[in-house]
Amino acid sequence: MMKPFISKTFYGVINYAVALLLIASPWLFHFAQFGGAALFLPIIIGWFQLIMAIFSKNPLGFLDVFPMQMHNCLDVLTGSFLLALPWTYSFSSQVWAPHFFLGLVLIIMGVFADGSPFLTKPHRALPEAGITSTDASEGRLNNY
């Protein structure tokens, strides 16, 4: 099994950079004139990434609401969507590279970040974990 190679701090830096790059990408890469999904979806995904970065439980998150595992899963999901966007919405003949490569960066971030659920083996939780459970009190969790 591969090991994660993106630290949580570096992940936070990349996350803000990719979010801002997605928001500005229609003008930076000169495809704003195409309009529609080519224009608006990178901006929407960029704002989504920025909001997730602010609310994420990582060293650069401000509000510590969303667990990193959830953020990693959403990175892979939105990255996959962004990567396929030019062909899904049939504008690949006009522009495809910014969507494809920024989507690929999101997927790589989500999979290879430290603590990512894609590369971290699941671990057994504490038997009771402060929650009353008939499984925990009857000893059924000890079999795992």
Side-chain angles (χ1 to χ4, degrees), residues 13 36 45 49 53 57 66 70 96 104 113 117 124 128 134 140:
V13 171
I45 291 172
Q49 285 295 318
K57 286 186 181 180
F66 299 126
M70 182 176 85
W96 65 271
L104 191 62
R124 189 179 182 293
E128 307 261 343
T134 56
R140 285 186 255 181

Side-chain angles (χ1 to χ4, degrees), residues 6-100:
I6 301 174
S7 71
K8 288 182 181 180
T9 304
F10 188 59
Y11 173 84
V13 171
I14 297 172
N15 202 8
Y16 284 110
V18 168
L20 295 174
L21 190 58
L22 277 166
I23 293 167
S25 67
W27 298 278
L28 284 176
F29 301 116
H30 308 290
F31 63 87
Q33 72 273 14
F34 300 126
L39 169 66
F40 292 111
L41 287 175
I43 295 171
I44 291 168
I45 291 172
W47 277 105
F48 175 72
Q49 285 295 318
L50 187 61
I51 291 167
M52 285 295 294
I54 291 169
F55 282 84
S56 225
K57 286 186 181 180
N58 69 33
L60 297 178
F62 292 107
L63 299 178
D64 293 340
V65 175
F66 299 126
M68 279 296 294
Q69 292 84 4
M70 182 176 85
H71 195 161
N72 294 137
C73 289
L74 289 172
D75 281 346
V76 171
L77 184 68
T78 55
S80 301
F81 177 70
L82 187 62
L83 185 135
L85 196 63
W87 296 276
T88 305
Y89 285 92
S90 300
F91 60 83
S92 62
S93 61
Q94 298 166 326
V95 62
W96 65 271
H99 302 81
F100 181 84

